[in-house]
Amino acid sequence: FEAMNMAALWKLPIVFVCENNQYGMGTAKARSSANTDYFTRGVYIPGIKVDGMSVLAVRTAVAHAAAHCREGKGPFVLEMDTYRYHGHSMSDPGVTYRNRDEVSGVRRARDPVEGLKKIMLEHSLATPEELKALETKIRKEIDVAVEFAKKESSPAAAELYRDIYRSQDPHMFIRGPDLAASHGDQKWQPAS
């Protein structure tokens, strides 16, 4: 809460986003948190809960939060009520603390891509053929990008430290996960 506290004190234009996928690793939120209305935790920062599975709800909420910040009113919290279809990690199959019916039920009722397709079709914003063509085109783009990424060598470790700040001096010291992995000159000082 330190970042939220300082943002509120200094009225910084920050949108804090909490992605609430209903589980912390494999523990249901009600079993791991005394307050599951995460958007209220800041108390001193306004916030709202958003249907994070609705493209249009997310768009509207982000626009509202950004306007709040741009008007100089300080930070804003968005709790994105979403759902993760798979386990938390490679070691989590995601089926020990929930069943397949729950996962498929959420997918049927709230899938963001299918939900947006439905809206587009209902409002004649696209035809089924146009959506299918778009999906095919996107899948091809993804396949090309994946193949490109697989063929490329990993970037140099120094790339992790580039473009962190808008006007970043190349000699600026940025601490890595341990001191030996840091970048730049430890004696670097910003220009006055």
Side-chain angles (χ1 to χ4, degrees):
F1 291 108
E2 290 86 356
M4 291 176 116
N5 181 55
M6 294 309 294
L9 282 171
W10 294 344
K11 291 212 175 296
L12 298 177
I14 298 174
V15 177
F16 291 99
V17 177
C18 170
E19 179 188 342
N20 178 1
N21 63 28
Q22 312 308 311
Y23 294 94
M25 283 289 287
T27 305
K29 64 182 182 177
R31 290 185 51 220
S32 63
S33 179
N35 177 4
T36 60
D37 288 330
Y38 301 120
F39 70 98
T40 66
R41 284 183 165 188
V43 180
Y44 39 83
I45 298 175
I48 56 175
K49 188 172 190 171
V50 182
D51 180 357
M53 301 288 272
S54 165
V55 174
L56 300 179
V58 169
R59 181 179 182 271
T60 302
V62 169
H64 174 75
H68 173 91
C69 290
R70 288 185 185 116
E71 291 165 8
K73 296 179 181 175
F76 201 89
V77 179
L78 294 174
E79 177 187 346
M80 298 296 179
D81 179 15
T82 186
Y83 191 82
R84 117 174 102 73
Y85 296 136
H86 304 285
H88 182 78
S89 65
M90 296 293 283
S91 63
D92 173 18
V95 294
T96 57
Y97 49 90
R98 59 189 181 172
N99 61 45
R100 294 183 195 282
D101 291 339
E102 175 187 325
V103 177
S104 63
V106 171
R107 189 184 299 265
R108 270 192 314 277
R110 296 184 64 209
D111 185 80
V113 174
E114 293 304 317
L116 184 59
K117 280 182 180 176
K118 182 179 176 193
I119 290 169
M120 292 176 74
L121 291 170
E122 286 173 356
H123 294 278
S124 301
L125 299 172
T127 66
E129 296 77 24
E130 288 171 326
L131 291 177
K132 185 66 177 166
L134 183 59
E135 193 173 312
T136 301
K137 178 182 176 233
I138 291 168
R139 286 187 191 279
K140 285 180 183 174
E141 286 178 16
I142 291 170
D143 290 343
V144 168
V146 167
E147 286 308 309
F148 176 80
K150 285 179 178 177
K151 290 177 186 171
E152 285 294 303
S153 58
S154 296
E159 288 296 312
L160 295 171
Y161 302 100
R162 282 179 31 139
D163 301 321
I164 293 174
Y165 298 100
R166 183 176 41 183
S167 301
Q168 183 174 319
D169 182 311
H171 304 290
M172 177 182 198
F173 179 72
I174 304 172
R175 193 178 192 300
D178 59 56
L179 202 53
S182 298
H183 177 76
D185 181 359
Q186 284 189 26
K187 294 181 178 147
W188 178 86
Q189 294 292 318
S192 327

